[in-house]
């Protein structure tokens, strides 16, 4: 295969919003990292005044993070570097592809704790409330979470952090949609 092809691993919106061309796609696993809704979003699911929350990865020895690996032409990085520009940086790793015996070298985007948009941890109810209230140019922050939770279920990754937030946000959305008591 051509050397201009690279594996990119997606663990957040890159799983369900695929707005770039790819040659191959495989379910894949990243070892020793965990997803967290700890990155602020000023440009997609929130605004600079009212940032939303999107996922990044934190180190977690022994954890497995499922996602999708795409084999892409090098030019795709130009598009993804722009899409992920609000605090994410490329990181190299070994990827475990579901249908291969050997690992492959790949890249993923991570928003580290020292980037200006990083929000970090908070109480789960506060994170859920922020996600429910936020929206940005890419749409409601809740959609990002609900689409991710659904995509992870389809991959068999029952990520407790994401599923817990999904349940809280669904409750808040149902409460907001309920008619007022008379
Ligand atoms: C990713 O999906 O791999 C990075 C985070 C995001 O864009 O949601």
């Amino acid at each position: 295969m051509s050397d201009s092809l690279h594996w990119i691993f997606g663990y957040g919106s890159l799983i369900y919003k695929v707005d770039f061309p790819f040659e191959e796609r495989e379910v894949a696993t990243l070892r020793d990292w965990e997803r967290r809704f700890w990155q602020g979003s000023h440009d997609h699911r929130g605004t600079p005044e009212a940032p939303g929350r999107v996922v990044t990865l934190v180190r977690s020895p022994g954890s497995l993070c499922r996602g999708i690996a795409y084999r892409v032409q090098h030019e795709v990085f130009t598009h993804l570097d722009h899409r992920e520009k609000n605090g994410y940086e490329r990181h190299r790793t070994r990827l475990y592809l579901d249908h291969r015996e050997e690992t492959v070298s790949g890249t993923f985007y991570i928003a580290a704790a020292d980037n200006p948009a990083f929000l970090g941890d908070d109480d789960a109810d506060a994170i859920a409330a922020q996600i429910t209230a936020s929206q940005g140019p890419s749409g409601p922050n809740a959609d990002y979470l609900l689409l991710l939770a659904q995509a992870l279920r389809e991959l068999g990754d029952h990520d407790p952090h994401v599923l817990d937030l999904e349940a809280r946000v669904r409750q808040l959305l149902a409460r907001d949609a309920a008619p007022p008591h008379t």
Side-chain angles (χ1 to χ4, degrees), residues 9-15 54-56 83-84 88 108-109 144:
F9 178 78
Y11 57 89
S13 68
L14 291 180
I15 296 179
V54 290
V55 286
T56 183
R83 173 171 157 174
E84 305 294 325
Y88 290 87
F108 62 97
Y109 285 85
Y144 176 104

Side-chain angles (χ1 to χ4, degrees), residues 84-161:
E84 305 294 325
K85 67 181 186 310
N86 190 207
Y88 290 87
E89 288 187 349
R90 292 190 213 162
H91 195 92
R92 300 283 293 169
T93 188
R94 299 303 296 174
L95 290 174
Y96 296 77
L97 304 183
D98 264 19
H99 299 296
R100 307 222 179 177
E101 306 244 318
E102 292 180 357
T103 59
V104 295
S105 173
T107 298
F108 62 97
Y109 285 85
I110 183 170
D114 60 358
N115 86 84
F118 190 78
L119 295 174
D121 199 6
D122 201 347
D123 176 69
D125 279 332
I127 294 181
Q130 185 175 357
I131 291 173
T132 306
S134 301
Q135 58 181 325
S138 299
N141 201 175
D143 285 359
Y144 176 104
L145 167 66
L146 300 181
L147 288 167
L148 178 59
Q150 179 58 27
L152 293 180
R153 264 192 290 278
E154 286 163 15
L155 291 181
D157 183 352
H158 299 282
D159 182 324
H161 172 72

